[in-house]
Amino acid sequence: MPVEVLLLVVALELVCAVALYVMGRPIKAELELKASIREKKIEMRQYTTPALFVAKAKLERQVIKLDKDVLELQVARSRRRGTCSTVTTRIKYALFLALVAMYWSTPLFELPASGLWPLSWFFGFPGHQAGSVGVVAGVLVASQGSSRFVGLLLPVK
């Protein structure tokens, strides 16, 4: 059934969005380092007298080192997310091309011709009768629509 093509596209968009969401989340070590930084900054605020200058300077150096560690983890996370994005995009394009090749001459479904009037040539591509929706338009609409919907469910930074 050609309508399954649209469901496959929606499922693929959902899987890709979940993968990017998981790759974009901070790992446990990064969260622990950020909590440690917060604790040290709170402790530094308590050192206000000049006699405690050495202890405060020591904490400042520790915070700077922890900030560098957090930055390294964030860069690694960003790199992982970029790799995941590249891989999922390539998989999506490969699947879309395979679906277009398999269903090129088959209309996915029929709609009233008057319902698609201004853009019936776009939805009917490649050469289907007026009112039918071809695989190119079906995959494009399903992909873009589902990616927008999934983007609302899983906000990816």
Side-chain angles (χ1 to χ4, degrees):
M1 196 77 190
V3 175
E4 293 171 351
V5 170
L6 303 178
L7 295 176
L8 180 65
V9 170
V10 170
L12 181 65
E13 287 290 340
L14 181 63
V15 168
C16 291
V18 168
L20 287 175
Y21 177 74
V22 170
M23 288 295 175
R25 290 177 37 204
I27 60 175
K28 187 177 180 180
E30 184 178 340
L31 295 175
E32 289 172 355
L33 284 174
K34 286 181 179 181
S36 177
I37 289 171
R38 273 191 303 273
E39 291 171 5
K40 290 188 185 302
K41 286 184 177 181
I42 290 171
E43 189 178 344
M44 280 178 16
R45 286 188 205 129
Q46 296 171 356
Y47 296 158
T48 55
T49 62
L52 299 173
F53 175 77
V54 175
K56 186 176 181 178
K58 181 179 177 183
L59 282 175
E60 286 175 352
R61 287 191 301 274
Q62 290 174 354
V63 166
I64 290 170
K65 184 188 178 307
L66 291 174
D67 278 337
K68 287 180 184 178
D69 294 342
V70 167
L71 183 62
E72 289 174 6
L73 289 173
Q74 288 173 342
V75 168
R77 177 171 37 115
S78 176
R79 197 172 295 128
R80 278 193 320 267
R81 190 175 179 285
T83 301
C84 180
S85 175
T86 302
V87 169
T88 56
T89 300
R90 288 179 182 172
I91 289 172
K92 282 194 293 190
Y93 287 153
L95 180 69
F96 294 165
L97 287 174
L99 289 173
V100 167
M102 288 176 13
Y103 291 99
W104 181 260
S105 61
T106 307
L108 295 181
F109 50 88
E110 302 281 331
L111 296 172
S114 61
L116 300 175
W117 169 69
L119 298 175
S120 59
W121 60 271
F122 172 74
F123 287 104
F125 183 79
H128 298 299
Q129 64 185 1
S132 62
V133 177
V135 69
V136 175
V139 166
L140 180 67
V141 169
S143 171
Q144 292 301 312
S146 61
S147 69
R148 300 296 189 270
F149 178 72
V150 169
L152 296 174
L153 296 177
L154 298 171
V156 178
K157 294 180 181 178

